[in-house]
Amino acid sequence: MAVHLVLREHRLDATAGMFLSSLSGHLDKVSREYAQKPFTDLVESYRNGPPVWNPMKLADKFINLGENFVHHEDVRRGGGEYTPRDLPVATRDALWTLVFQAARGMIRSTGATVQLVRTDGSGAESVTVGTGEPEVTVSGEAGEIVLWVYGRDKAAGVT
């Protein structure tokens, strides 16, 4: 996980392999090189954030909210813990804002209408993606819906 996060912020040439299969070999090679580095060096590199030349620096606040939350839960739930954390209201609200911003781009068009319904807000809040049939409703806490939107279906506590 540490290698993935550091490469994403420090090696755009390798990161492209996450999205373009023709560059996946380069990503694998650079990942193996970084995996040889001491874990503490990787953590320190990530802690320092992306370099000023990296466009991630501008989008850090928006992209890393989802990325860090999802990967934290990947590690946490990979050990068998599936209980949602009791997150502060501000964090839950920020994650719900992320759902509004990311859902349309991240939920692939299947021809269905997907309604995402937040159950941990002060009122009924939802976002709808798509306009076709069938109509599907996914409900849960904001963080759980983020996990579902990011493709963590089996780990997300949604209905």
Side-chain angles (χ1 to χ4, degrees), residues 89 92-93 96 118-125:
V89 172
R92 293 193 317 252
D93 289 345
W96 185 247
R118 178 181 179 185
T119 61
D120 64 344
S122 57
E125 300 177 78

Side-chain angles (χ1 to χ4, degrees), residues 6 11 15 21 25 44 62 64 67 71 77 80 89 94 96-97 105 108 113 116 125 142 147:
V6 171
R11 292 294 303 267
T15 302
S21 59
E44 188 61 29
F62 304 104
N64 277 340
E67 184 86 2
H71 287 323
R77 295 175 190 214
V89 172
W96 185 247
T97 298
R108 302 240 186 252
T113 299
L116 304 169
E125 300 177 78
L147 291 172

Side-chain angles (χ1 to χ4, degrees), residues 137-157:
T137 300
V138 177
S139 61
E141 296 177 9
E144 299 304 300
I145 292 175
V146 167
L147 291 172
W148 187 85
V149 168
Y150 273 71
R152 298 336 193 253
D153 310 24
K154 293 178 183 166

Side-chain angles (χ1 to χ4, degrees), residues 1-2 69-81:
M1 186 62 62
F69 176 77
V70 168
H71 287 323
H72 178 92
E73 293 301 311
D74 286 344
V75 171
R76 184 173 167 265
R77 295 175 190 214
E81 174 61 56

Side-chain angles (χ1 to χ4, degrees), residues 38-117:
F39 180 72
T40 54
D41 291 355
L42 293 170
V43 170
E44 188 61 29
S45 183
Y46 187 69
R47 180 180 291 132
N48 290 331
V52 293
W53 53 262
N54 187 331
M56 286 289 283
K57 190 80 166 172
L58 300 173
D60 184 62
K61 177 176 133 181
F62 304 104
I63 293 172
N64 277 340
L65 170 65
E67 184 86 2
N68 288 339
F69 176 77
V70 168
H71 287 323
H72 178 92
E73 293 301 311
D74 286 344
V75 171
R76 184 173 167 265
R77 295 175 190 214
E81 174 61 56
Y82 289 94
T83 306
R85 290 183 288 152
D86 184 20
L87 299 169
V89 172
T91 302
R92 293 193 317 252
D93 289 345
L95 289 168
W96 185 247
T97 298
L98 176 66
V99 169
F100 268 93
Q101 295 169 341
R104 285 177 180 83
M106 294 186 75
I107 296 176
R108 302 240 186 252
S109 175
T110 62
T113 299
V114 179
Q115 183 179 30
L116 304 169
V117 180

